[in-house]
Amino acid sequence: MSELHTIQTNINGKPVEASVPGRLLLSDFIREELRLTGTHVGCEHGVCGACTILYDGLPSRSCLMLAVQADGHEIVTVEGLASNGELHPLQEAFKAKHGLQCGYCTPGFLMTLVPFLAEHPDPDEATVRDAISGNLCRCTGYQSIVDATLLAARQMREKAGAVDGSEATS
Amino acid sequence: MKPAPFEYMAPESVDAALQLKARHGAGAQWLAGGQSLIPSLNFRCLKPDYVIDLNGLRELSYIRFESGQGVRLGGMTRYHELEHSDVIRQHAPMMHDAIPYIAHDAIRSRGTLGGSLAYADPAAELPTVTTALRARYLLRSESSERWVQAEDFFVGMFQTVMQPDELLIEVEIPLPKAGAAWGFIERSRRHGDRVLMGVAATLTLQPDGTCADARLVYQNGAPAPRLAPQAAASLNGKALTDEHIVAAAKQAAYEEIDPESDVHASSAFRRQLAFELTQRALRDARERGTAAISEEGAGA
Ligand SMILES: Cc1cc2nc3c(=O)[nH]c(=O)nc-3n(C[C@H](O)[C@H](O)[C@H](O)COP(=O)(O)OP(=O)(O)OC[C@H]3O[C@@H](n4cnc5c(N)ncnc54)[C@H](O)[C@@H]3O)c2cc1C
Ligand code: FES
Ligand code: FES
């Protein structure tokens, strides 16, 4: 029953090989075996969103996946967002707009919103609220998270040169 | 909490998967998207001896349009794939519209069509939608294969006619007839929450404006997707006037469905909701049907 399965996966751009029991959750593998403790665990039944990671580029609940299912797939956790010591623009915006207080929910929001912004570079407020409807935050009341997301979207558009001058100053 | 120990198996073909299931029966659980199974394992509501992972079976993941026949969907096709499919948008637009109501992006990236049907949650979207679309499901075991019409598949809350050794392989949605129209509408407290009430209506509008083939199916109107055959029949052969729509909605909501009371809403409120949503769904269908007729007329 406790048979181990060898997996080869890629976490935040680095190849990882490990032996895992079938019942080990991906969230626990990430936190306890890899010691990447940025991925948080709240409910373990898919409703709080704290454990959200990217699995082959798509946001997924790591508490609803098995570690063996990482075999042959690519995983990005919140630790993989910053590059060369620079925070992702969404992380910067969360900082600037107080998008977090205790921070428990934050990794899940970030891993939900990064792929969302890639698909919706210019979202309106209602679309952002809809995008985070599967993530719970007990501190902020969400307003500052929405503000941070809209700010990040604008800054990312500006960086991509897609925004005209009048909008950039608004 | 964490799952109790089990033996994990990842077969590489449908045949191999069916052999394993034939051997282990009810002691083994299929693992599709895991979005309902893994919560049950985490809470130890289920403690299977074996978990047979279907995620390696690419042969069960497809969306095909066959002209003259309809749309064929593999059991392991994910919500995310259905949501972004042009075939679904064009040939099963009701499904296209219904999918974004299912949970959130992070659930839709994993959850599957076959998993949703097999799980048979009365509050789920796709059991109701595929029933309204007159779909049938292909079930296969190691030794046999059968097609089951959607309306014969669901027998109760989380219960279907599937045997422990069967796998839901494919969903076939027939081609709509000329003048086919539909309406789908649901209400929950917040987007992605468990639905309070939903209704899917399909019908065809004849060139003279009379209604035929009406079907009304309710999501969370009973322990399984619930048809309202008398209300639907009352619409056939008549023009879809507001008066007929209100009468049918009333009959369905107050006589043919059987919604439960729970912490989210009373049965009485759910009936009221069904009464209102049925009218809206039928008016949407009337609008779409009328547009389809005038388009076909213009094309002829
Ligand atoms: C936070 C959250 C919100 C949700 N909200 C909604 C919602 O709004 N609407 C909705 O419809 N659903 C919702 N769901 C449930 C979700 O849609 C599940 O994906 C679905 O119920 C099961 O599909 P799955 O592919 O994940 O199956 P799994 O969880 O892997 O399996 C479910 C059951 O079906 C069996 N099974 C799976 N595939 C097959 C098959 N091909 N043949 C035979 N048996 C099979 C499994 O053995 C298991 O018993 C939600 C889930 C979560 C976690
Ligand atoms: S811990 Fe995974 S969704 Fe809550
Ligand atoms: S910042 Fe505390 S839960 Fe969101």
Side-chain angles (χ1 to χ4, degrees), chain A residues 99-106 109 136-141 145:
Chain A
L100 65 154
Q101 289 179 27
C102 79
Y104 202 87
C105 66
T106 314
F109 273 91
L136 298 180
C137 173
R138 296 296 78 178
C139 301
T140 63
I145 295 176

Side-chain angles (χ1 to χ4, degrees), chain A residues 1 3 5 22-23 25 28 43-46 52 55 58-61 63-66 68-69 119 130 133-134, chain B residues 1-8 31 35 38-39 42-44 49 53 55 80 84 104 106-107 109-110 191:
Chain A
M1 281 278 181
E3 197 193 326
H5 304 265
R23 67 159 161 164
L25 297 176
D28 290 334
C43 67
E44 289 189 334
H45 62 126
T52 307
Y55 181 85
L58 295 177
S60 305
R61 302 289 201 236
C63 73
L64 299 187
M65 297 190 65
L66 302 173
V68 275
Q69 295 183 306
E119 241 186 86
D130 193 52
S133 63
Chain B
M1 282 206 284
K2 315 293 173 192
F6 55 76
E7 197 173 316
Y8 170 86
L31 170 58
Q35 305 300 291
I38 298 197
N42 288 352
F43 290 143
R44 301 202 178 187
D49 295 326
D53 192 347
N55 285 280
H80 170 82
H84 294 96
H104 320 285
I107 308 295
S109 63
R110 297 293 302 161
H191 178 178

Side-chain angles (χ1 to χ4, degrees), chain A residues 43 45-48 61 64 134, chain B residues 21 28-40 46 52 54-55 60 74-79 98-104 107-108 110-121 123-127 138-140 153 158 162-164 166-170 186 188 191-195 219:
Chain A
C43 67
H45 62 126
V47 302
C48 77
R61 302 289 201 236
L64 299 187
Chain B
K21 197 72 163 89
Q29 283 283 333
W30 299 119
L31 170 58
Q35 305 300 291
S36 294
L37 180 68
I38 298 197
S40 316
L46 285 178
I52 307 175
L54 302 170
N55 285 280
L60 284 185
M76 277 299 291
T77 310
R78 297 189 201 277
Y79 302 137
I99 291 207
Y101 283 106
I102 305 174
H104 320 285
I107 308 295
R108 294 199 294 274
R110 297 293 302 161
T112 67
L113 171 62
S116 172
L117 302 176
Y119 189 60
D121 182 337
E125 280 73 12
L126 296 182
L138 178 62
L139 309 180
R140 192 181 293 161
F153 180 78
F158 306 116
M162 259 196 300
Q163 296 301 310
E166 285 181 313
L167 178 63
L168 198 154
I169 299 279
E170 183 176 277
E186 70 166 61
S188 53
H191 178 178
D193 279 7
R194 222 180 146 68
V195 74
Q219 180 189 350

Side-chain angles (χ1 to χ4, degrees), chain B residues 126-175:
Chain B
L126 296 182
T128 290
V129 165
T130 52
T131 303
L133 291 172
R134 295 178 164 76
R136 55 180 195 152
Y137 312 148
L138 178 62
L139 309 180
R140 192 181 293 161
S141 70
E142 191 190 16
S143 55
S144 66
E145 187 174 276
R146 57 178 174 144
W147 284 100
V148 178
Q149 281 296 134
E151 62 269 29
D152 301 325
F153 180 78
F154 303 98
V155 293
M157 195 172 280
F158 306 116
Q159 285 177 326
T160 73
V161 299
M162 259 196 300
Q163 296 301 310
D165 61 345
E166 285 181 313
L167 178 63
L168 198 154
I169 299 279
E170 183 176 277
V171 172
E172 184 192 66
I173 301 173
L175 272 191

Side-chain angles (χ1 to χ4, degrees), chain A residues 48-99:
Chain A
C48 77
C51 69
T52 307
I53 50 134
L54 302 186
Y55 181 85
D56 291 340
L58 295 177
S60 305
R61 302 289 201 236
S62 60
C63 73
L64 299 187
M65 297 190 65
L66 302 173
V68 275
Q69 295 183 306
D71 187 34
H73 295 271
E74 280 185 18
I75 289 173
V76 179
T77 67
V78 70
E79 289 89 347
L81 284 188
S83 63
N84 303 323
E86 256 186 56
L87 292 181
H88 186 282
L90 184 63
Q91 291 173 304
E92 287 290 358
F94 264 61
K95 217 169 116 185
K97 289 283 179 185
H98 306 287

